[in-house]
Amino acid sequence: MVFHIITLFPKLLESYLGDSILARAIKEGRIRVAFYNPRDFTTDKHHKADDRPYAGGPGMVMYAEPILRAVESINSKVQALRTKQASNNKGRKIQTYILSPSGEQFTNTGAAKFAKKQDGIILICGRYEGIDARVEKILRAKEISVGPYVLTGGELPAMIMIDA
């Protein structure tokens, strides 16, 4: 299983994944975790990945374009790998999820389904007031939640999903 994590703060996850059972799982090749920072997919000199909401209101919203470019990069890498190992990945797919308090509840049953049906998962970690709504629509991403509460970002939910 490969977890592709899109986050503005990859270091938040790296320390957690560097110890204990997850570190062993990564070392043994049972799971892989790759990080993609939306700032690396921006086109401006300041690598700006967020701005005020278009319709106004408080806070900042993450831009769609850098996230979409990150997913495009992931899909290109996955497609190239599948071309090399075509017979190993037949029938399995990679699904994109946006971590959100309003999404479908993540459960142990859901974790087992992920492991059976997918060879990779893209987890988009929101920050601030959220993510541009076009991301969900364009990617046909599913919203998923780890609980009925609001956190400062999607990094903790991503760690919970990887751990499960």
Side-chain angles (χ1 to χ4, degrees), residues 90-164:
K90 264 190 174 164
R92 295 174 64 112
K93 60 181 180 174
I94 188 165
Q95 179 65 50
T96 303
Y97 295 93
I98 296 173
L99 297 156
S100 165
S102 62
E104 180 183 331
Q105 184 74 43
F106 179 70
T107 63
N108 280 333
T109 304
K113 285 180 185 177
F114 290 155
K116 278 185 184 176
K117 293 183 178 179
Q118 298 168 182
D119 59 324
I121 296 174
I122 299 172
L123 298 174
I124 302 173
C125 301
R127 273 279 158 172
Y128 315 119
E129 292 299 313
I131 297 170
D132 185 317
R134 295 176 294 172
V135 171
E136 182 180 356
K137 187 175 183 177
I138 291 168
L139 298 175
R140 295 187 190 125
K142 297 178 182 176
E143 284 191 341
I144 195 158
S145 173
V146 296
Y149 40 81
V150 177
L151 300 170
T152 57
E155 290 78 14
L156 284 173
M159 287 189 280
I160 289 168
M161 291 180 70
I162 293 167
D163 200 313

Side-chain angles (χ1 to χ4, degrees), residues 36-43 47 65-67 69-71 73:
Y36 306 84
N37 190 330
R39 294 184 197 286
D40 297 335
F41 297 90
T42 60
T43 57
H47 302 288
E65 290 80 6
I67 295 170
R69 286 187 195 111
V71 171
S73 172

